[in-house]
């Protein structure tokens, strides 16, 4: 039986690492990371256009119009980046990428409690931490069915409607606020509120039920 949890975390804090800074300035591809056997030195490589002229990064390979850059960090007190913080919990980072200043990393924790502890730790160290995908193993099944909800499927307005309705207790039993009250808080009419809410709920159910 396994209770493994696979999550994808987005980090928008520019202080996370040099790759985050580089991706805000130019396109970044093929991000990879390694840690030395002594666990004191970490190296991150990424590919970017040769014209980018990225500071504080070593050029290790050049081909046509693209260059592979390497950033190496030495011993330091405490975690130096989000990846190292995750790995301090004994969870290797399975996937790493950066785009427009946002670092995307994924890892697997042994259970939901361990995963929650890592996310809390990340939020205590960095700003702009958001959970975008979360999947959990199905115990006692021959093959695990991974299910995730991509919040990016929702429009900004749909997310606002869901968040406001949740905060006001619209989904509580009994309800702490009705549709008219939530719509008034959003400064929209009741029919518009129900339209956005219905669309958001349909998208979430489609993802959960794999429709």
């Amino acid at each position: 039986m396994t209770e493994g949890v696979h999550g994808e975390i987005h980090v928008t804090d520019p202080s996370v690492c040099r790759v985050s800074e580089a991706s805000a300035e130019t396109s970044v591809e093929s991000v990879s990371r390694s840690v030395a056997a002594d666990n004191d030195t970490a190296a991150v490589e990424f590919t970017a256009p040769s014209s980018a002229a990225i500071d504080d990064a070593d050029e290790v390979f050049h081909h046509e119009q693209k260059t592979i850059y390497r950033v190496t960090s030495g011993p330091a007190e405490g975690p130096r980046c989000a990846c190292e913080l995750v790995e301090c919990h004994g969870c290797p980072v399975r996937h790493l990428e950066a785009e427009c200043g946002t670092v995307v990393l994924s890892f697997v924790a042994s259970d939901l409690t361990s995963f929650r502890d890592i996310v809390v730790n990340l939020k205590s160290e960095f700003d702009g931490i958001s959970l975008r995908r979360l999947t959990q193993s199905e115990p006692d099944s021959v093959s695990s069915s991974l299910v995730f909800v991509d919040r990016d499927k929702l429009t900004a307005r749909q997310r606002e409607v869901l968040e406001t309705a949740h905060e006001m207790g619209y989904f509580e039993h009994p309800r702490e606020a009705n549709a008219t009250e939530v719509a008034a808080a959003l400064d929209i009419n009741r029919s518009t509120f129900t339209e956005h809410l219905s669309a958001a709920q349909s998208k979430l159910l489609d993802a959960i039920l794999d429709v």
Side-chain angles (χ1 to χ4, degrees), residues 142-162:
V142 176
S143 61
S144 298
S145 175
L146 300 180
V147 179
F148 65 84
V149 175
D150 186 354
R151 297 197 303 176
D152 287 340
K153 294 291 185 182
L154 301 176
T155 65
R157 193 56 160 166
Q158 288 167 354
R159 287 183 60 178
E160 182 185 18
V161 166
L162 276 176

Side-chain angles (χ1 to χ4, degrees), residues 1-6 108-113 135-139:
M1 179 181 296
T2 178
E3 299 179 358
V5 177
H6 182 203
V108 174
S110 57
D111 52 49
L112 193 57
T113 299
T135 59
Q136 188 168 11
S137 300
E138 286 188 355

Side-chain angles (χ1 to χ4, degrees), residues 47-76:
T47 303
S50 300
S51 58
I54 298 173
D55 297 330
D56 302 325
D58 298 324
E59 297 183 12
V60 295
F61 186 80
H62 174 77
H63 180 67
E64 295 180 348
Q65 301 300 317
K66 294 186 177 181
T67 297
I68 296 177
Y69 294 89
R70 179 181 296 161
V71 179
T72 304
S73 59

Side-chain angles (χ1 to χ4, degrees), residues 20 27 37 40 50 57 62 71 76 80 98 104 108 110 115 125 128 132 134-135 139 193 197 206:
S20 172
S27 59
D40 282 336
S50 300
H62 174 77
V71 179
R80 294 178 289 269
V104 180
V108 174
S110 57
F115 184 86
E125 294 289 336
R132 293 303 175 90
L134 180 65
T135 59
F193 164 73
L197 183 63
D206 285 348

